[in-house]
Amino acid sequence: MPRQLVASAPRRADIAEYDLPEMMPNEVRVKIQYASPKHGSELAAFRNESPHLADYYDEDWHTFLPRELKEKEEHGNFGKWNLGNQWVGIITEAGEEVKDYAVGDRVCGYGGIREFHAVNAIDNFYLLKMPESMSWQNALCFDPAQFALGAIRDANVRAGDRVAVFGLGAIGQIAAQMARLAGAGYVAVIDPIEDRRTAAIEAGADEGFDPVNEDVGFKLKNATGRMGVDVIIETSASEQALQASLRGLAYGGTIAYVGWARAFKGGLDLGREAHFNNAKIVFSRACSEPNPDYPRWSWRRIEETCWSMLEKGQIRCDHVIHPLVPFEQCAEGYETFVDREPAKSIKLGVAF
């Protein structure tokens, strides 16, 4: 039987067998070569800390409402939940109704880390064909690229702007490259992990700062002749990072807040630079509709633009997928590199 990575209990991952269903006429079967999880929202659920466990976001009310007790008990779905976000693989079978895909096509899609996926192949935007020139690393970064592009657009990054990116996971790494593509004249990156800063600088950022050992806000002011940066992309969801962002932002500048924050426990003082410097904070989430630039821009346009950029190699993500572990070790790899020691990774990759 085929195998998959599952969350068997809070903060515990295992490899388990699953049934391979009979393929439908509209489906293709894909043998997976590479896969990757999310390091943000999925991790919160893996730790049993997600705000969605007790409450849910109601689309009509645009607010969080409490779940019923029984639903709360079942929502975690531990023991059945296939961990993972995206995969790359080769089509090995195609149903009789499938016209746009063929056996041997290399494709990317959404789904858990498992050996085979059966996917609808009729009018499915999310079954993405990959040209030979496209790297599997770029394909696996399709999801974080969307939130990076959303932040760049929401912050209105323009040619010549000075930009700082806080947090150098996959979203931050890609946002730094996109800022340069948008014409930023200066790009600084901020993360406590030296290897992440080095990777971002090698991909085109100008310089990096360590928020643990440096006054990053003052460093940004010093690097820009006391003015501060025009735009900050904040992906870490740390209150200390937000405080440093407000300190390093130019008067009237914009912070695009991308990170999925938890309740702040202290360290944020809005009576300092935030109060004096006319800062603007934009909460950025690419998949919230309607888009701020609707109807010209939508989530689908963001998706299409990101795939095109990744497909053409305008962004490079070979350094973003790190480390790469074999499927046989992915349970241990997930627990270590995603949950317990995230400083050792940027975005975990799994090779089959």
Side-chain angles (χ1 to χ4, degrees):
M1 294 180 70
R3 297 167 299 164
Q4 63 181 355
L5 179 67
V6 298
S8 51
R11 307 194 78 167
R12 177 178 168 183
D14 286 296
I15 295 176
E17 293 181 340
Y18 68 99
D19 292 326
L20 194 63
E22 182 179 347
M23 199 174 67
M24 304 298 291
N26 63 309
E27 292 181 332
V28 294
R29 181 160 290 153
V30 184
K31 180 176 175 57
I32 306 308
Q33 297 177 309
Y34 299 97
S36 184
K38 290 176 80 76
H39 285 233
S41 53
E42 182 181 76
L43 176 59
F46 180 69
R47 290 173 172 171
N48 208 31
E49 298 173 349
S50 171
H52 295 287
L53 293 172
D55 303 307
Y56 72 99
Y57 183 74
D58 188 282
E59 296 287 349
D60 292 327
W61 287 78
H62 294 286
T63 193
F64 278 88
L65 298 175
R67 294 183 183 276
E68 297 295 332
L69 179 61
K70 185 174 187 298
E71 190 180 3
K72 287 182 187 178
E73 294 171 351
E74 295 176 350
H75 190 64
N77 208 26
F78 287 102
K80 304 174 184 177
W81 173 23
N82 183 195
L83 291 163
N85 178 228
Q86 290 202 272
W87 46 260
V88 166
I90 302 294
I91 294 176
T92 58
E93 296 179 59
E96 60 187 26
E97 296 177 3
V98 175
K99 307 298 182 186
D100 297 326
Y101 301 86
V103 172
D105 284 349
R106 188 171 63 136
V107 292
C108 172
Y110 276 93
I113 298 169
R114 53 169 54 180
E115 292 179 305
F116 290 91
H117 273 283
V119 188
N120 170 46
I122 298 177
D123 296 326
N124 183 2
F125 171 80
Y126 294 106
L127 185 60
L128 296 153
K129 287 186 181 180
M130 296 173 56
E132 290 185 12
S133 59
M134 186 178 191
S135 72
W136 59 267
Q137 294 99 324
N138 271 24
L140 291 184
C141 286
F142 176 50
D143 189 79
Q146 296 165 40
F147 296 93
L149 180 58
I152 293 294
R153 290 192 52 78
D154 289 343
N156 196 26
V157 176
R158 291 171 291 182
D161 275 350
R162 296 162 175 158
V163 177
V165 179
F166 279 71
L168 295 174
I171 295 174
Q173 294 281 346
I174 296 169
Q177 293 187 54
M178 287 183 170
R180 184 66 83 200
L181 284 172
Y186 170 79
V187 179
V189 291
I190 296 93
D191 197 284
I193 302 166
E194 183 177 4
D195 287 348
R196 291 185 177 186
R197 299 195 302 271
T198 299
I201 291 169
E202 289 176 351
D206 292 294
E207 57 184 334
F209 300 114
D210 176 2
V212 174
N213 298 301
E214 298 178 284
D215 181 345
V216 171
F218 189 79
K219 286 281 188 179
L220 292 173
K221 289 286 177 67
N222 188 60
T224 56
R226 301 185 183 181
M227 181 178 288
V229 293
D230 302 290
V231 169
I232 289 176
I233 310 297
E234 208 303 283
T235 76
S236 72
S238 157
E239 56 262 54
Q240 289 81 15
L242 181 54
Q243 191 73 61
S245 296
L246 290 163
R247 183 166 167 79
L249 188 69
Y251 187 95
T254 301
I255 298 170
Y257 197 88
V258 189
W260 191 33
R262 306 297 183 270
F264 288 168
K265 293 181 169 58
L268 181 63
D269 185 349
L270 298 181
R272 297 173 66 86
E273 289 84 2
H275 185 73
F276 284 87
N277 291 347
N278 194 25
K280 300 176 183 66
I281 302 177
V282 178
F283 291 90
S284 178
R285 184 173 179 265
C287 56
S288 289
E289 297 279 38
N291 187 274
D293 289 323
Y294 179 85
R296 293 181 296 107
W297 278 84
S298 62
W299 182 21
R300 176 52 52 85
R301 186 173 175 186
I302 287 174
E303 291 172 322
E304 291 171 344
T305 302
C306 285
W307 186 256
S308 176
M309 295 171 78
L310 292 162
E311 188 179 49
K312 294 173 182 175
Q314 293 174 301
I315 303 162
R316 51 170 282 244
C317 298
D318 52 299
H319 66 293
V320 176
I321 305 296
H322 173 78
L324 181 66
V325 302
F327 175 70
E328 300 293 342
Q329 299 173 20
C330 69
E332 178 184 353
Y334 190 98
E335 290 180 0
T336 300
F337 298 115
V338 179
D339 181 24
R340 295 173 186 165
E341 300 181 68
K344 293 183 177 179
S345 69
I346 298 178
K347 182 174 175 62
L348 177 67
V350 177
F352 290 77

